[in-house]
Every structure is written in C-alpha cells, then in structure tokens.
Amino acid sequence: MSSPFTLIGDPSAEACGPDGCAIPAEHPARAQAAESDATAPTTESAASLAD
Amino acid sequence: MTEPIKVDIWSDIACPWCFIGKRKFEAGVAAFAAGSDTPVEVEYHSFELAPDTPVDFEGSELDFLVSHKGMPAEQITEMLGRVTGIAAQSGLEFNFDKLRHTNTVLAHQALHFAKAHGKQRELAEVLFRAYFTDGKHVGNIADLAELGATVGLDAAELTAALEADRYLADVRADQAQAQGYGIQGVPFFVIDGKYGVSGAQEAQAFEQVLTQVSAERGA
C-alpha cells in the first residue's frame, strides 16, 4: 500500500516491524572507522530484536 | 499565537528504534525551535509489534529471542551490542540484560489514559526508560500504575481504567489508522498531516521537515 504522505528523509533509517528490527550490519564504532575508507557498510539485515 | 505543527508518532514501547528515534526527533525539534517560535505538538499512537508476546515471559531478552526466533545466542548477543552502542550515541543507556520482555497492550492503554490527562509525553519517556534502561516491567497493571504515578497520574484511576480496558478501543483505532496509512514499521512520524518520516532518522531530517512546514505556512 502506498503512503498517503510525502516521505521525507533516509528510506533506510532503522525501524522495527512485525518481523523484527533492522540492525546495522556493522558495529557503529567499526562502521565509523570504515567511513574514512569510503567503504562504510550501508547494508542492514532485518533481524528479529526486541519484539 | 502561531498554530502548532502537529506531529503524530506511531511507536511501540518494546521498540529500540522508537526510543532512539524519539531522542533524535527531540534533538531535531530543539534545533528547529532555536530558529522558530512555532510550537510543535506531539501525540503518540499505538503500534503493537508483537501482540502475541506473553505478559510474563520468564527469562532474559536473549532467552526470548533464542526461544521464540530460533536465532543463535552468539548472533543475538552481537546484535544487542550493536543497538546498545547506537543508543549510547544518542545519550541512551540500554540494558538488555535487565530487560523484562512483555506484552505492551496495557502500556499503550496507559498512554491513552495519560493523553486524556495531559501527561502522554511524560509517560512515554518514563515507559521507554523503564523498559530499556531500568529493567522494569511495563506489562501489568500494578507496575504501570506505579510508573504512571511518577508523572502525576492518579494510580487508582489508572488502575481502574486498565482493569476495565477503557482505552483498548483507542489502541485498536490507532492500529487501524496505521494500517490504513500503510505504516509497516515504527517509529513513524506524520508531520502536519502531510509528511511522513519513517524510522530513527537523524535529527537534521526532523529539523528540515519542520522548517519546511513552517515555511510553507508562511508562503
């Protein structure tokens, strides 16, 4: 179903759904370090957490 | 007086990104308020991520995820560590080892009770902190009444409302509205009834959309 709203912001921002919560593929500290190499991971895995 | 910008937020207490997103949203509102005198009005709406969760799950968050999701303990521990690290970047302390996994439908009813008494934002903060930081139970009436009293709600009145499921219809109405809007994940923010912000966005995203709405009003 399409949203009746104009969506703003990063479409990959972390959220939780009925199937679980999106968890970054890397620990934030490691991801920050990787950013300097311009190879920071952006992939997220839909993992079931706290639901 | 300038008409406030209304922000409707769908979230669940048992949702780590909702608490993290709350902090980022608040930072965005603070940045917006530094350059604008337009007030921002917030209303929380119910979204149950796992309505089949038992009220009194015996065990840790790790135990719950291992037993209910069939994931390896090592993988879950690593995931919880990542989320804890991200929460800390927003100034939040997550203690998954103390977390009391529970059903949140009564907590949602308590939030509707609090809304009726002008204390919803305060109770939302208390419930998130109780769940993720303090390891308190947020799934039964006695604990919710105690937590409600900390924000000035009448514990006896809240208890009676929860025992009678007086606000269950409001919870279901929020859920139906979310379904009608196509909201599949939380947190989900609806700004001024026309812009949608999904997930724990950075503060700048919230500041930007609030600024945009304010500018459109003045156009």
Side-chain angles (χ1 to χ4, degrees):
Chain A
M1 178 184 293
S2 61
S3 172
F5 309 111
T6 301
L7 295 175
I8 303 281
D10 178 4
S12 65
E14 293 92 348
C16 295
D19 295 329
C21 297
I23 307 297
E26 287 286 337
H27 187 281
R30 293 202 299 269
Q32 282 183 344
E35 278 177 7
S36 61
D37 300 330
T39 56
T42 55
T43 306
E44 293 180 357
S45 59
S48 298
L49 170 64
D51 62 345
Chain B
M1 182 181 171
T2 309
E3 186 184 348
I5 297 174
K6 177 78 184 298
V7 181
D8 293 284
I9 306 174
W10 272 263
S11 68
D12 194 359
I13 297 302
C15 161
W17 298 124
C18 296
F19 198 11
I20 295 168
K22 182 177 186 294
R23 277 294 179 279
K24 293 184 173 184
F25 168 72
E26 289 163 347
V29 171
F32 168 71
S36 171
D37 59 0
T38 303
V40 177
E41 181 184 313
V42 174
E43 180 175 347
Y44 284 93
H45 297 274
S46 307
F47 193 102
E48 280 185 283
L49 286 168
D52 59 339
T53 303
V55 170
D56 289 309
F57 178 79
E58 292 296 332
S60 67
E61 180 71 358
L62 181 63
D63 296 330
F64 178 85
L65 292 170
V66 168
S67 64
H68 284 69
K69 303 295 183 183
M71 297 171 66
E74 187 179 334
Q75 183 184 347
I76 294 169
T77 300
E78 189 179 345
M79 283 166 40
L80 297 178
R82 285 182 213 145
V83 177
T84 299
I86 293 168
Q89 290 175 348
S90 291
L92 296 172
E93 181 185 349
F94 277 14
N95 293 306
F96 283 109
D97 55 331
K98 294 199 299 186
L99 189 150
R100 305 281 301 278
H101 208 95
T102 188
N103 188 293
T104 58
V105 70
L106 283 172
H108 285 298
Q109 291 190 57
L111 285 168
H112 278 280
F113 176 91
K115 180 170 70 178
H117 293 78
K119 294 285 186 183
Q120 193 189 40
R121 290 174 67 173
E122 292 86 343
L123 186 62
E125 177 68 22
V126 162
L127 292 181
F128 275 124
R129 194 170 63 238
Y131 188 78
F132 284 108
T133 302
D134 299 334
K136 292 183 178 174
H137 203 299
V138 300
N140 60 50
I141 292 173
D143 289 305
L144 287 168
E146 191 175 313
L147 290 166
T150 68
V151 299
L153 295 172
D154 185 304
E157 199 180 333
L158 175 55
T159 297
L162 295 178
E163 286 176 345
D165 278 333
R166 200 175 299 158
Y167 290 91
L168 183 57
D170 295 285
V171 174
R172 298 300 178 230
D174 277 352
Q175 292 169 322
Q177 192 171 21
Q179 192 172 11
Y181 286 161
I183 296 172
Q184 296 175 338
V186 288
F188 193 94
F189 305 76
V190 176
I191 319 290
D192 216 31
K194 56 184 174 181
Y195 294 108
V197 179
S198 177
Q201 301 274 348
E202 294 304 320
Q204 291 87 340
F206 295 110
E207 180 189 6
Q208 182 185 12
V209 68
L210 290 168
T211 301
Q212 185 173 333
V213 168
S214 183
E216 287 170 355
R217 285 182 174 186

PDB file of all heavy atoms in Angstrom, chain B residues 67-80:
ATOM      1  N   SER B  67      14.560 -18.518  22.079  1.00  0.00           N
ATOM      2  CA  SER B  67      13.451 -19.480  22.111  1.00  0.00           C
ATOM      3  C   SER B  67      12.348 -19.167  21.116  1.00  0.00           C
ATOM      4  O   SER B  67      11.727 -20.066  20.571  1.00  0.00           O
ATOM      5  CB  SER B  67      12.866 -19.538  23.527  1.00  0.00           C
ATOM      6  OG  SER B  67      12.300 -18.289  23.876  1.00  0.00           O
ATOM      7  N   HIS B  68      12.092 -17.880  20.882  1.00  0.00           N
ATOM      8  CA  HIS B  68      10.974 -17.530  20.011  1.00  0.00           C
ATOM      9  C   HIS B  68      11.372 -17.279  18.562  1.00  0.00           C
ATOM     10  O   HIS B  68      10.539 -17.364  17.680  1.00  0.00           O
ATOM     11  CB  HIS B  68      10.251 -16.292  20.550  1.00  0.00           C
ATOM     12  CG  HIS B  68       9.377 -16.584  21.723  1.00  0.00           C
ATOM     13  ND1 HIS B  68       9.874 -16.925  22.956  1.00  0.00           N
ATOM     14  CD2 HIS B  68       8.033 -16.600  21.842  1.00  0.00           C
ATOM     15  CE1 HIS B  68       8.874 -17.134  23.780  1.00  0.00           C
ATOM     16  NE2 HIS B  68       7.751 -16.951  23.142  1.00  0.00           N
ATOM     17  N   LYS B  69      12.602 -16.941  18.346  1.00  0.00           N
ATOM     18  CA  LYS B  69      13.020 -16.622  16.978  1.00  0.00           C
ATOM     19  C   LYS B  69      13.990 -17.650  16.414  1.00  0.00           C
ATOM     20  O   LYS B  69      14.311 -17.621  15.232  1.00  0.00           O
ATOM     21  CB  LYS B  69      13.670 -15.231  16.930  1.00  0.00           C
ATOM     22  CG  LYS B  69      12.783 -14.114  17.457  1.00  0.00           C
ATOM     23  CD  LYS B  69      11.549 -13.915  16.589  1.00  0.00           C
ATOM     24  CE  LYS B  69      10.737 -12.736  17.100  1.00  0.00           C
ATOM     25  NZ  LYS B  69       9.483 -12.552  16.337  1.00  0.00           N
ATOM     26  N   GLY B  70      14.487 -18.513  17.284  1.00  0.00           N
ATOM     27  CA  GLY B  70      15.365 -19.568  16.817  1.00  0.00           C
ATOM     28  C   GLY B  70      16.708 -19.077  16.306  1.00  0.00           C
ATOM     29  O   GLY B  70      17.322 -19.709  15.447  1.00  0.00           O
ATOM     30  N   MET B  71      17.141 -17.944  16.828  1.00  0.00           N
ATOM     31  CA  MET B  71      18.428 -17.404  16.377  1.00  0.00           C
ATOM     32  C   MET B  71      19.531 -17.845  17.330  1.00  0.00           C
ATOM     33  O   MET B  71      19.296 -17.988  18.530  1.00  0.00           O
ATOM     34  CB  MET B  71      18.364 -15.876  16.336  1.00  0.00           C
ATOM     35  CG  MET B  71      17.352 -15.346  15.352  1.00  0.00           C
ATOM     36  SD  MET B  71      17.132 -13.570  15.523  1.00  0.00           S
ATOM     37  CE  MET B  71      18.739 -12.986  15.025  1.00  0.00           C
ATOM     38  N   PRO B  72      20.757 -18.023  16.821  1.00  0.00           N
ATOM     39  CA  PRO B  72      21.877 -18.409  17.692  1.00  0.00           C
ATOM     40  C   PRO B  72      22.161 -17.325  18.724  1.00  0.00           C
ATOM     41  O   PRO B  72      22.128 -16.133  18.414  1.00  0.00           O
ATOM     42  CB  PRO B  72      23.050 -18.552  16.730  1.00  0.00           C
ATOM     43  CG  PRO B  72      22.450 -18.635  15.368  1.00  0.00           C
ATOM     44  CD  PRO B  72      21.157 -17.892  15.415  1.00  0.00           C
ATOM     45  N   ALA B  73      22.482 -17.743  19.957  1.00  0.00           N
ATOM     46  CA  ALA B  73      22.720 -16.796  21.044  1.00  0.00           C
ATOM     47  C   ALA B  73      23.856 -15.830  20.710  1.00  0.00           C
ATOM     48  O   ALA B  73      23.784 -14.638  21.022  1.00  0.00           O
ATOM     49  CB  ALA B  73      23.035 -17.564  22.337  1.00  0.00           C
ATOM     50  N   GLU B  74      24.895 -16.354  20.050  1.00  0.00           N
ATOM     51  CA  GLU B  74      26.049 -15.506  19.728  1.00  0.00           C
ATOM     52  C   GLU B  74      25.641 -14.366  18.794  1.00  0.00           C
ATOM     53  O   GLU B  74      26.056 -13.214  18.971  1.00  0.00           O
ATOM     54  CB  GLU B  74      27.133 -16.364  19.084  1.00  0.00           C
ATOM     55  CG  GLU B  74      28.442 -15.627  18.867  1.00  0.00           C
ATOM     56  CD  GLU B  74      29.493 -16.534  18.233  1.00  0.00           C
ATOM     57  OE1 GLU B  74      29.409 -17.768  18.412  1.00  0.00           O
ATOM     58  OE2 GLU B  74      30.370 -15.993  17.562  1.00  0.00           O
ATOM     59  N   GLN B  75      24.804 -14.697  17.813  1.00  0.00           N
ATOM     60  CA  GLN B  75      24.352 -13.683  16.855  1.00  0.00           C
ATOM     61  C   GLN B  75      23.490 -12.623  17.550  1.00  0.00           C
ATOM     62  O   GLN B  75      23.620 -11.425  17.300  1.00  0.00           O
ATOM     63  CB  GLN B  75      23.546 -14.360  15.744  1.00  0.00           C
ATOM     64  CG  GLN B  75      23.086 -13.411  14.643  1.00  0.00           C
ATOM     65  CD  GLN B  75      22.212 -14.115  13.617  1.00  0.00           C
ATOM     66  OE1 GLN B  75      22.130 -15.344  13.583  1.00  0.00           O
ATOM     67  NE2 GLN B  75      21.551 -13.348  12.771  1.00  0.00           N
ATOM     68  N   ILE B  76      22.636 -13.083  18.438  1.00  0.00           N
ATOM     69  CA  ILE B  76      21.759 -12.146  19.153  1.00  0.00           C
ATOM     70  C   ILE B  76      22.564 -11.230  20.060  1.00  0.00           C
ATOM     71  O   ILE B  76      22.334 -10.020  20.122  1.00  0.00           O
ATOM     72  CB  ILE B  76      20.705 -12.921  19.962  1.00  0.00           C
ATOM     73  CG1 ILE B  76      19.761 -13.651  19.012  1.00  0.00           C
ATOM     74  CG2 ILE B  76      19.925 -11.987  20.872  1.00  0.00           C
ATOM     75  CD1 ILE B  76      18.856 -14.656  19.684  1.00  0.00           C
ATOM     76  N   THR B  77      23.537 -11.811  20.753  1.00  0.00           N
ATOM     77  CA  THR B  77      24.370 -11.004  21.647  1.00  0.00           C
ATOM     78  C   THR B  77      25.082  -9.903  20.881  1.00  0.00           C
ATOM     79  O   THR B  77      25.161  -8.746  21.326  1.00  0.00           O
ATOM     80  CB  THR B  77      25.405 -11.905  22.356  1.00  0.00           C
ATOM     81  OG1 THR B  77      24.707 -12.901  23.112  1.00  0.00           O
ATOM     82  CG2 THR B  77      26.308 -11.098  23.279  1.00  0.00           C
ATOM     83  N   GLU B  78      25.575 -10.255  19.693  1.00  0.00           N
ATOM     84  CA  GLU B  78      26.260  -9.252  18.871  1.00  0.00           C
ATOM     85  C   GLU B  78      25.287  -8.153  18.432  1.00  0.00           C
ATOM     86  O   GLU B  78      25.599  -6.959  18.459  1.00  0.00           O
ATOM     87  CB  GLU B  78      26.882  -9.927  17.649  1.00  0.00           C
ATOM     88  CG  GLU B  78      27.793  -8.995  16.866  1.00  0.00           C
ATOM     89  CD  GLU B  78      28.437  -9.682  15.672  1.00  0.00           C
ATOM     90  OE1 GLU B  78      28.403 -10.940  15.614  1.00  0.00           O
ATOM     91  OE2 GLU B  78      28.942  -8.976  14.801  1.00  0.00           O
ATOM     92  N   MET B  79      24.069  -8.561  18.045  1.00  0.00           N
ATOM     93  CA  MET B  79      23.052  -7.586  17.630  1.00  0.00           C
ATOM     94  C   MET B  79      22.698  -6.631  18.758  1.00  0.00           C
ATOM     95  O   MET B  79      22.606  -5.416  18.570  1.00  0.00           O
ATOM     96  CB  MET B  79      21.775  -8.332  17.195  1.00  0.00           C
ATOM     97  CG  MET B  79      21.857  -8.958  15.835  1.00  0.00           C
ATOM     98  SD  MET B  79      20.500 -10.133  15.580  1.00  0.00           S
ATOM     99  CE  MET B  79      19.130  -9.307  16.330  1.00  0.00           C
ATOM    100  N   LEU B  80      22.505  -7.202  19.941  1.00  0.00           N
ATOM    101  CA  LEU B  80      22.140  -6.364  21.086  1.00  0.00           C
ATOM    102  C   LEU B  80      23.258  -5.368  21.402  1.00  0.00           C
ATOM    103  O   LEU B  80      23.000  -4.221  21.762  1.00  0.00           O
ATOM    104  CB  LEU B  80      21.840  -7.235  22.312  1.00  0.00           C
ATOM    105  CG  LEU B  80      20.648  -8.194  22.179  1.00  0.00           C
ATOM    106  CD1 LEU B  80      20.493  -9.032  23.445  1.00  0.00           C
ATOM    107  CD2 LEU B  80      19.368  -7.443  21.897  1.00  0.00           C
TER     108      LEU B  80
END
